Amino acid sequence: MSTAPIYGLMAEFDTPAALVAAAKRVYAAGYRKIDTFSPFPVEEAWEAIGHRDRRMSFIVLMGGLVGGLGGYGLEYWVHTMAYPINVAGKPLNSWPQFIPVTFEMTILIAALSAVIGMIVLNGLPMPYHPVFNVPRFEHASRDKFFLLIESNDPKFDRQRTLEFLKGLDASEINEVAP
Amino acid sequence: MNTHALSDTADIARLQQRGLIIGAGGLVVGAIGALLQPDQLLPSWLIGFTFCLGLSMGCLTLLMMQHMSGGQWGLVGRRVFEAGSRLLPYCVVLFLPIALFLPKLYLWARPEAVRADEILQHKEPYLNVWFFLIRAVVYFVIWLFCAMNLNRWSAAQDRGEVGVTEADTRRFRVISAPGLLAYVITMSLAAVDWLMSLDPHWYSTIFGFIIVAGQALCALSFAVAVLAILAESTPMSAVLRAGHFHDLGKLMLAFVMLWAYFSFSQFLIIWAGNLPEEIPFYLVRLRNGWQYVSLLIVVGHFFLPFFLLLSRDLKRRPRLLARVAWFIVAVRLVDLIWLIAPEFSHEGSFPISLANVAIPVGLAGVWLFLFAGQLRRHALVPVNDPYFKEMLAHGQHAGH
């Protein structure tokens, strides 16, 4: 084994259940700088590694509120201030007519916030990431499940962490070059 | 596995007992209410019939939907949907008094009223007693055909006779795909026949969809509430996970929004058009105390469940989610009372009579009693379904 610095240790699993079980034990062992990778969302894994990140929910909620208020505000401004035209004797601020635009704007801005928020919080675009140095990592988007412990975790010890991961039913363990 | 040991839990017995108490209590109070206001008996019966039909038909739709879509939410909910769909014959029985006393409920069924009204004469080729009854028979035959076959095969699947391979589960989809299409068409027509024609001058083209969305929402909420009870003990405690309730909660949110979308569309179009033959529907429901019921529905049928169901934590906690689900079931009944009772309310009197509430609650209680009885007859999980086996094999972490 070389002594060059590494980014972390990556364990590979065959099933989502094995990944979740391993993630729980890694978290219980005190590791915090951990991440999981899977071909499809595995919510239990996300919970098992202690993620309580609610920033996305907040961003999308704010986007929805801004979109809704903006949509209604636009209609209100157009119909009562910019072009106050009497249509069928209805009041200028005819709120039922404004609901479709309000609704659509809520969805639109919330969805855009979700996409943009996801890109920004993920730090994308990111041209380089060490995990791709593991050749088998391409299976993360196909049929395998991966768990990564970063080397800057306070509990990380190259040898002991490797031994620990070996006890977790991993089908393969790789060092991740930085 | 011994299927009987799987299904006979004390929780279902308690549910059955509650159904009996609610049913008996509701019908006794309803009988008193009907004695005080005899003319409210049939309208109240129609409300009760529509509510029970919504539960059964909603269950049948969700059953067909989960056969088509797959997914774990459908596998864990299947036996609840099946038990609900097996109560369609009960709904047929509830329909009989309506069929026998059509002139008491529907203006177009009274010859003297038709003679005095030119519009009703134009509508007579469609809105007449015999064609109405023939259509009702056709609807029920189609629905019973879907429900009986799906249940029959499901029972055979439990015995290991059919549908044990993935290829053989195709038979469920062969019924479900045309069944879903037929459901939307026949239920829309039935909603026009049985509910919209209470005011034969009024029409709304989206009315059928509002009823369809309401039925799916009501049955799904009921199923979630039942699953939350079943999740407390074996065998379902070993199967049900927070993720299942999360998925079901998301589906509930979608149906809440769908119902609100259709309902608001109807209101917006009628409000914008402002036509004299369309607006009476809302004018009646914005006066004489009905405006408070309307407000209750806007808040209780949309805003409250919508904002509650946005919460991820709530959806993952079965007991909390079940409370929201029971609330939605209750507010569905309020919505049906709001839909039907104003057509029969006297000017100036308090709009909702005792019978309007008690009789539907009583009939729904009997439905619940019968439902629990049906739920006990089969295993609570489709043990021989190849997809269910796959779900257990994957340790249920796949989620999709």
Side-chain angles (χ1 to χ4, degrees):
Chain A
M1 191 179 278
S2 75
T3 51
I6 56 168
Y7 178 73
L9 283 166
M10 184 182 274
E12 179 183 326
F13 300 92
D14 291 332
T15 64
L19 174 70
V20 173
K24 280 180 181 157
R25 288 187 53 191
V26 170
Y27 189 80
Y31 293 99
R32 290 299 175 265
K33 294 256 174 191
I34 43 186
D35 208 347
T36 57
F37 308 88
S38 54
F40 51 82
V42 180
E43 285 195 16
E44 285 92 338
W46 183 73
E47 278 161 14
I49 56 175
H51 264 293
R52 299 286 177 269
D53 192 339
R54 290 294 158 84
R55 281 178 296 170
M56 267 311 284
S57 312
F58 182 74
I59 289 171
V60 175
L61 180 66
M62 285 302 124
L65 287 176
V66 167
L69 292 174
Y72 194 93
L74 173 74
E75 289 268 27
Y76 184 84
W77 175 74
V78 166
H79 289 280
T80 66
M81 296 175 198
Y83 302 95
I85 297 166
N86 184 336
V87 179
K90 291 190 165 64
L92 291 176
N93 179 28
S94 289
W95 64 266
Q97 308 265 54
F98 302 166
I99 296 295
V101 168
T102 307
F103 174 72
E104 300 295 346
M105 287 294 283
T106 307
I107 303 295
L108 177 68
I109 306 297
L112 285 177
S113 313
V115 173
I116 296 168
M118 180 273 293
I119 288 172
V120 171
L121 291 186
N122 277 333
L124 296 172
M126 190 184 289
Y128 176 80
H129 197 283
V131 289
F132 293 99
N133 292 332
V134 178
R136 286 192 59 81
F137 188 68
E138 64 187 54
H139 287 269
S141 53
R142 256 189 267 156
D143 54 358
K144 297 289 179 197
F145 304 82
F146 294 87
L147 186 139
L148 172 80
I149 303 180
E150 290 177 25
S151 58
N152 58 1
D153 189 292
K155 273 210 72 174
F156 188 86
D157 178 279
R158 201 160 173 168
Q159 203 52 45
R160 260 180 296 168
T161 304
L162 183 68
E163 294 300 323
F164 173 68
L165 282 175
K166 276 180 180 165
L168 292 182
D169 276 349
S171 54
E172 196 167 324
I173 297 169
N174 281 297
E175 292 191 336
V176 184
Chain B
M1 270 189 258
N2 181 348
T3 50
H4 207 73
L6 271 171
S7 59
D8 207 41
T9 70
D11 296 319
I12 304 178
R14 208 173 309 127
L15 195 67
Q16 195 168 21
Q17 201 182 8
R18 280 191 197 152
L20 193 62
I21 293 167
I22 296 169
L27 289 178
V28 167
V29 176
I32 296 167
L35 282 174
L36 296 173
Q37 287 170 296
D39 57 338
Q40 287 299 320
L41 175 61
L42 273 170
S44 307
W45 191 273
L46 179 64
I47 296 169
F49 160 73
T50 312
F51 185 67
C52 293
L53 182 80
L55 284 167
S56 283
M57 288 305 293
C59 281
L60 177 60
T61 318
L62 292 167
L63 178 64
M64 296 193 288
M65 213 186 280
Q66 61 87 31
H67 275 307
M68 294 309 296
S69 70
Q72 293 194 6
W73 69 272
L75 288 168
V76 296
R78 183 180 294 172
R79 288 302 142 94
V80 177
F81 303 146
E82 282 176 351
S85 73
R86 285 202 296 276
L87 293 186
L88 259 179
Y90 172 63
C91 302
V92 177
V93 172
L94 292 187
F95 184 71
L96 293 179
I98 296 165
L100 286 174
F101 298 101
L102 283 182
K104 289 212 181 290
L105 284 167
Y106 301 97
L107 191 67
W108 52 261
R110 293 172 211 149
E112 72 281 4
V114 176
R115 271 197 298 279
D117 191 326
E118 205 193 330
I119 291 173
L120 290 192
Q121 286 164 24
H122 286 301
K123 292 190 178 187
E124 211 181 356
Y126 189 81
L127 283 181
N128 63 70
V129 172
W130 280 109
F131 193 29
F132 177 94
L133 293 177
I134 291 168
R135 286 198 303 272
V137 170
V138 171
Y139 305 149
F140 278 122
V141 165
I142 292 173
W143 301 338
L144 284 167
F145 174 80
C146 294
M148 280 169 64
N149 276 308
L150 290 175
N151 275 293
R152 198 161 49 89
W153 289 335
S154 191
Q157 190 182 45
D158 273 1
R159 295 192 299 269
E161 289 161 14
V162 302
V164 288
T165 62
E166 285 193 18
D168 198 28
T169 58
R170 191 181 125 83
R171 63 171 71 227
F172 292 104
R173 294 190 288 279
V174 167
I175 287 273
S176 297
L180 278 172
L181 190 64
Y183 163 71
V184 174
I185 295 169
T186 51
M187 197 62 235
S188 291
L189 292 171
V192 170
D193 284 3
W194 301 342
L195 303 176
M196 206 169 95
S197 81
L198 287 171
D199 179 355
H201 291 165
W202 181 74
Y203 53 85
S204 160
T205 48
I206 207 170
F207 188 79
F209 286 135
I210 300 176
I211 297 297
V212 165
Q215 289 184 340
L217 173 63
C218 189
L220 182 68
S221 303
F222 173 75
V224 168
V226 171
L227 286 175
I229 294 172
L230 297 179
E232 305 267 312
S233 56
T234 52
M236 291 303 270
S237 55
V239 178
L240 284 165
R241 293 279 174 274
H244 295 134
F245 286 98
H246 193 185
D247 287 348
L248 289 163
K250 282 187 262 189
L251 206 51
M252 272 167 71
L253 177 62
F255 279 123
V256 164
M257 291 174 73
L258 189 67
W259 175 88
Y261 178 81
F262 288 152
S263 300
F264 183 76
S265 299
Q266 173 177 289
F267 171 75
L268 175 61
I269 288 164
I270 289 176
W271 179 87
N274 207 16
L275 297 172
E277 67 266 34
E278 288 182 350
I279 55 174
F281 179 84
Y282 287 108
L283 292 183
V284 167
R285 285 162 181 79
L286 290 171
R287 287 176 188 157
N288 290 334
W290 284 110
Q291 65 270 38
Y292 305 113
V293 184
S294 303
L295 189 66
L296 175 72
I297 290 170
V298 171
V299 174
H301 207 313
F302 176 66
F303 282 102
L304 192 62
F306 174 77
F307 283 110
L308 286 174
L309 289 172
L310 281 181
S311 157
R312 182 174 185 277
D313 286 339
L314 185 142
K315 280 180 286 201
R316 295 182 74 86
R317 289 161 75 177
R319 286 188 179 186
L320 271 180
L321 188 66
R323 283 192 194 168
V324 179
W326 282 123
F327 177 77
I328 291 176
V329 171
V331 103
R332 277 302 305 148
L333 180 58
V334 175
D335 184 51
L336 289 176
I337 294 172
W338 176 86
L339 206 60
I340 294 168
E343 303 294 341
F344 300 95
S345 71
H346 302 288
E347 284 293 322
S349 68
F350 182 68
I352 301 174
S353 72
L354 188 61
N356 287 163
V357 180
I359 289 180
V361 167
L363 294 179
V366 175
W367 190 95
L368 181 63
F369 171 75
L370 296 171
F371 166 84
Q374 288 293 333
L375 196 58
R376 295 170 89 156
R377 287 181 50 185
H378 296 284
L380 287 170
V381 283
V383 279
N384 282 334
D385 189 294
Y387 298 105
F388 184 73
K389 287 178 177 166
E390 190 184 306
M391 164 178 148
L392 291 184
H394 275 226
Q396 302 188 339
H397 289 297
H400 294 273

